[in-house]
Amino acid sequence: MASIKDVANLAGVAVGTVSRVINNAGAVKPATRAKVKAAIEQLNYVPDEVARNFKMQKSKMIALLLPSIWHPFFSELAYYIEDELDREGYKLMLCNSGGKPEKELYYFDMLKQNKVAGVVGITYNDIENSVSTDIPMISIDRHFNKKITCVTSDNFEGGRIALRELVKAGVKKPAFLGNVPFVYSETMLRKEGFVHEAKILGVPYEVYEEPDPLRDEDKYYSTFLNRYQDIDGVFAITDMAAAKYIEKAKQAGIRVPEDVKVIGYDGIQDHPYFHPLLSTIRQPVEEMARTAVRLLLKKAEGETLDREVYQIPVTYRAGETT
Amino acid sequence: MASIKDVANLAGVAVGTVSRVINNAGAVKPATRAKVKAAIEQLNYVPDEVARNFKMQKSKMIALLLPSIWHPFFSELAYYIEDELDREGYKLMLCNSGGKPEKELYYFDMLKQNKVAGVVGITYNDIENSVSTDIPMISIDRHFNKKITCVTSDNFEGGRIALRELVKAGVKKPAFLGNVPFVYSETMLRKEGFVHEAKILGVPYEVYEEPDPLRDEDKYYSTFLNRYQDIDGVFAITDMAAAKYIEKAKQAGIRVPEDVKVIGYDGIQDHPYFHPLLSTIRQPVEEMARTAVRLLLKKAEGETLDREVYQIPVTYRAGETT
């Protein structure tokens, strides 16, 4: 296999010149560059990336830290993040944290060791003090108080749209079905937008929040169903919460959309083959993913970003539940 | 920050000894190892992985090459592959090929440059001659003719079970709904098991296959519906194909399961909130993923595997479509 010395010999230049051409670093005359490139091609020379990373002390690797790739919202997001990174010549390292803070911290440590170029992170845990500002990082959905830029969908506007669409569908008394997050997350704005719009329109509303609905799901939904028997509309904080509510409501003899109209948030159903097709606030997943990557690569190159939070507009997608 | 020399000085050993302890390579007396570990801890020494990889000429990185992470079967598989790799101290590089052969080849090239420790690959394209045998690789679903070990679900047995379950549900004339793959794939055994079992039981059956159902989906399903009007059971090659058939059948006035009973293959529905819940042959995704990783790491360590194809047993999961 050809070495960098072979390339230098054939091109009649120094090894350092070849290195500058390969790494796009330092000035090289166009004619010299052309000679080097021709030699690389002729010898079918493959630069050793591991050795290059060692010398340049950085890698073309971006880490994606998320709770679980095995969730339709995250897997769609990962799909577009990988696609955008690939366009820019970067690779994706996938880290499932399982939502466990200790696994997230373990990955941040690991990431430091590996000198990844940056991290796209989705975490809903309180790892605030442990997240190093040394690593270029973009957070999705979660706005840290440090200088970690956040990309989210426009959650507040999404909540407003959901309220308006419920009212448009004839709902007189809508309820918000949510949860109290452990730490501040942009997703809380969904409720705030919903409440804001209800107040503007003078619509009576209910808000139901529990700290950890997953701990006792049956109790979470049965409490909601018992407590708010007069509601005729639900805006659920996620599509999964909407789908679970609809199933529990059906068991309690409540028909959707006849008795209660339901709007979710996410847009996880990308095929029309499974029912109910949820009416939902669709996250602009592709644009969020590509924006996160573009901002991250800017940061990795030392640029300062002009905002702390980048909000991407959302749209309403009508389904079978309103 | 502490260097390897600081560790060696504190432990009173040579740098090479520290290196052998860190890399678990070469004999080191237990007492010496303990001294080195204590020094590492005391100094909070973090080995530089990039530098280590450079010296050892390999990385603790495994590449996962798949058509798209944005598909429930693949994202579940990726979830368990990452989890198993993490247990073994390896990281996962994610490569979406989009099913395009040129992107797959590009990744194989990239992988060679980066000296990944191995590849878990899922491809349905004919890249046979381009896949290097230098890289330890495990293929999922696709059995190459080279020495690339393949992990699959027991597709043949899955086909047999599907036929038997349809007959048990009262079906008199079942049809197989499939496609002709571009290259040989283990998934073809689903049809073969179905046909084999139908012959054993003396059940009349139909087989419908098209080279590329995705090119003109409407035509694919309408041809099937027109051609086989007397069938009362369908075994579809995947859950997605089953779900699409059910939707098209409904539009044609055929009720599932009243008129036609349907069984899919995969088990992509991990929540009971969306309907129809497909009756399906459930792929043992977790076991396939963990098996693939364990075999790959054995291969990466130079071990010879005793089989070419590892088949993992499947189970039938009754849903609402039989």
Side-chain angles (χ1 to χ4, degrees):
Chain A
M1 213 170 78
S3 73
I4 192 166
K5 273 189 195 165
D6 299 332
V7 174
N9 287 341
L10 183 63
V13 300
V15 165
T17 308
V18 178
S19 170
R20 284 201 297 281
V21 170
I22 292 168
N23 296 312
N24 270 319
V28 181
K29 281 184 210 157
T32 310
R33 183 178 297 275
K35 268 197 290 184
V36 171
K37 289 208 163 168
I40 285 173
E41 203 146 298
Q42 195 179 322
L43 294 170
N44 200 16
Y45 168 67
V46 177
D48 183 322
E49 288 253 334
V50 175
R52 264 172 65 194
N53 290 340
F54 179 66
K55 282 174 196 154
M56 304 185 64
Q57 285 297 314
K58 66 177 182 182
S59 80
K60 289 284 243 180
M61 180 80 69
I62 297 290
L64 174 61
L65 178 69
L66 39 70
S68 166
I69 190 72
W70 185 20
H71 180 289
F73 171 63
F74 296 131
S75 67
E76 183 182 359
L77 196 66
Y79 174 84
Y80 287 115
I81 287 176
E82 196 273 346
D83 189 67
E84 187 69 22
L85 285 173
D86 180 53
R87 289 186 188 187
E88 300 292 335
Y90 281 78
K91 288 143 265 165
L92 177 67
M93 191 201 291
L94 176 67
C95 313
N96 287 312
S97 68
K100 292 177 195 136
E102 66 278 12
K103 206 173 166 195
E104 294 182 346
L105 295 178
Y106 161 79
Y107 272 117
F108 278 110
D109 265 0
M110 205 186 74
L111 294 171
K112 266 185 258 175
Q113 285 184 43
N114 278 282
K115 299 191 196 308
V116 291
V119 180
V120 178
I122 305 173
T123 168
Y124 303 103
N125 289 311
D126 189 9
I127 53 165
E128 183 104 16
N129 296 315
S130 323
V131 174
S132 163
T133 46
D134 306 347
I135 305 172
M137 176 166 172
I138 299 289
S139 167
I140 293 185
D141 263 3
R142 169 78 195 285
H143 183 203
F144 292 85
N145 289 323
K146 286 188 187 177
K147 295 205 173 304
I148 294 172
T149 308
C150 174
V151 174
T152 73
S153 62
D154 191 341
N155 292 286
F156 188 80
E157 188 58 29
R160 296 185 62 180
I161 295 172
L163 188 283
R164 284 203 302 273
E165 290 292 340
L166 285 172
V167 169
K168 215 190 278 177
V171 169
K172 301 291 176 214
K173 191 165 183 194
F176 174 77
L177 183 67
N179 55 278
V180 182
F182 294 112
V183 288
Y184 182 81
S185 154
E186 298 296 303
T187 60
M188 287 174 67
L189 295 172
R190 294 173 193 173
K191 177 191 72 179
E192 292 176 22
F194 172 88
V195 169
H196 174 91
E197 197 67 11
K199 284 180 179 163
I200 285 181
L201 298 183
V203 173
Y205 64 91
E206 301 285 358
V207 167
Y208 178 68
E209 289 183 304
E210 287 293 321
D212 193 357
L214 294 178
R215 191 154 294 167
D216 190 345
E217 217 162 63
D218 285 340
K219 196 177 154 213
Y220 172 80
Y221 287 99
S222 63
T223 305
F224 177 73
L225 287 164
N226 286 327
R227 195 178 295 168
Y228 306 108
Q229 302 202 2
D230 60 337
I231 56 136
D232 58 352
V234 167
F235 170 43
I237 191 160
T238 62
D239 280 352
M240 279 309 295
K244 285 177 195 173
Y245 163 76
I246 292 167
E247 196 73 15
K248 301 282 180 187
K250 200 201 289 176
Q251 288 162 16
I254 297 167
R255 294 163 306 161
V256 172
E258 293 83 353
D259 304 325
V260 176
K261 307 204 187 303
V262 178
I263 291 180
Y265 199 107
D266 277 344
I268 53 173
Q269 289 169 292
D270 48 320
H271 297 291
Y273 309 119
F274 296 102
H275 306 275
L277 273 180
L278 299 168
S279 297
T280 190
I281 304 299
R282 169 72 175 141
Q283 295 232 37
V285 182
E286 178 172 359
E287 206 188 332
M288 285 166 71
R290 299 198 191 279
T291 303
V293 168
R294 283 193 289 257
L295 293 173
L296 182 63
L297 297 186
K298 274 190 185 178
K299 255 193 162 176
E301 282 157 18
E303 275 189 56
T304 309
L305 303 179
D306 56 355
R307 266 182 287 167
E308 264 185 62
V309 180
Y310 287 76
Q311 280 174 334
I312 318 284
V314 294
T315 49
Y316 173 65
R317 190 166 75 188
E320 303 163 343
T321 60
T322 43
Chain B
M1 213 170 80
S3 72
I4 192 164
K5 273 189 193 165
D6 299 331
V7 174
N9 286 340
L10 182 63
V13 300
V15 166
T17 308
V18 178
S19 169
R20 283 201 298 281
V21 170
I22 292 167
N23 295 313
N24 270 320
V28 180
K29 279 184 210 156
T32 311
R33 182 178 298 273
K35 268 197 290 183
V36 171
K37 290 209 161 168
I40 286 173
E41 204 145 299
Q42 194 179 325
L43 295 170
N44 202 15
Y45 168 68
V46 179
D48 183 321
E49 290 252 334
V50 175
R52 265 173 63 194
N53 291 340
F54 179 65
K55 283 176 193 152
M56 303 186 63
Q57 288 294 317
K58 67 178 183 183
S59 80
K60 288 282 246 181
M61 181 79 71
I62 298 290
L64 174 62
L65 178 69
L66 38 72
S68 165
I69 190 73
W70 186 18
H71 180 289
F73 172 63
F74 296 132
S75 66
E76 183 182 358
L77 196 66
Y79 174 83
Y80 287 116
I81 287 176
E82 196 272 347
D83 188 67
E84 187 69 22
L85 285 174
D86 180 54
R87 288 186 189 188
E88 300 292 333
Y90 281 77
K91 289 143 264 165
L92 177 68
M93 192 201 289
L94 177 68
C95 313
N96 287 312
S97 68
K100 291 178 195 135
E102 66 278 14
K103 206 172 166 197
E104 293 182 346
L105 295 178
Y106 162 79
Y107 272 116
F108 278 109
D109 266 359
M110 203 186 74
L111 293 172
K112 264 184 259 175
Q113 285 183 45
N114 279 282
K115 300 191 194 307
V116 291
V119 180
V120 177
I122 305 173
T123 169
Y124 302 103
N125 289 310
D126 191 9
I127 55 167
E128 183 106 17
N129 296 317
S130 322
V131 174
S132 162
T133 46
D134 306 348
I135 304 173
M137 177 167 171
I138 300 288
S139 167
I140 292 184
D141 264 3
R142 169 79 195 283
H143 183 202
F144 291 85
N145 289 323
K146 285 187 187 177
K147 294 203 174 305
I148 294 172
T149 308
C150 173
V151 174
T152 73
S153 63
D154 191 341
N155 292 286
F156 188 79
E157 187 59 28
R160 296 185 62 180
I161 296 173
L163 187 284
R164 282 202 303 270
E165 291 292 340
L166 286 172
V167 169
K168 216 190 278 178
V171 168
K172 304 286 177 217
K173 190 165 185 197
F176 174 78
L177 183 67
N179 55 280
V180 182
F182 294 110
V183 288
Y184 182 80
S185 154
E186 298 295 306
T187 60
M188 288 173 68
L189 295 172
R190 295 173 193 174
K191 177 190 74 180
E192 291 176 23
F194 172 88
V195 169
H196 174 90
E197 197 68 9
K199 283 183 180 160
I200 285 180
L201 298 183
V203 174
Y205 63 92
E206 301 285 359
V207 166
Y208 178 67
E209 289 183 304
E210 286 293 321
D212 193 358
L214 294 178
R215 192 155 294 168
D216 191 345
E217 216 162 65
D218 284 340
K219 197 178 154 215
Y220 171 79
Y221 287 98
S222 64
T223 305
F224 177 73
L225 287 164
N226 286 328
R227 195 177 296 168
Y228 306 108
Q229 304 202 1
D230 60 338
I231 57 137
D232 58 353
V234 168
F235 171 42
I237 192 162
T238 62
D239 280 352
M240 279 310 295
K244 286 178 194 173
Y245 163 76
I246 292 167
E247 197 71 15
K248 302 282 181 188
K250 201 202 288 178
Q251 288 163 16
I254 298 167
R255 295 163 306 161
V256 173
E258 294 82 354
D259 304 326
V260 176
K261 307 203 186 307
V262 178
I263 292 179
Y265 199 109
D266 276 344
I268 53 173
Q269 290 168 293
D270 48 322
H271 297 292
Y273 309 118
F274 297 102
H275 305 276
L277 272 181
L278 298 168
S279 297
T280 190
I281 304 299
R282 171 70 175 143
Q283 295 232 35
V285 182
E286 177 172 357
E287 206 188 331
M288 286 165 72
R290 298 198 192 277
T291 303
V293 169
R294 282 192 291 256
L295 292 173
L296 182 62
L297 297 187
K298 274 190 185 178
K299 253 192 163 175
E301 281 157 18
E303 277 188 53
T304 309
L305 303 179
D306 55 354
R307 269 181 285 170
E308 263 185 63
V309 180
Y310 287 76
Q311 280 174 336
I312 318 283
V314 293
T315 49
Y316 173 65
R317 190 166 75 188
E320 303 164 342
T321 60
T322 44

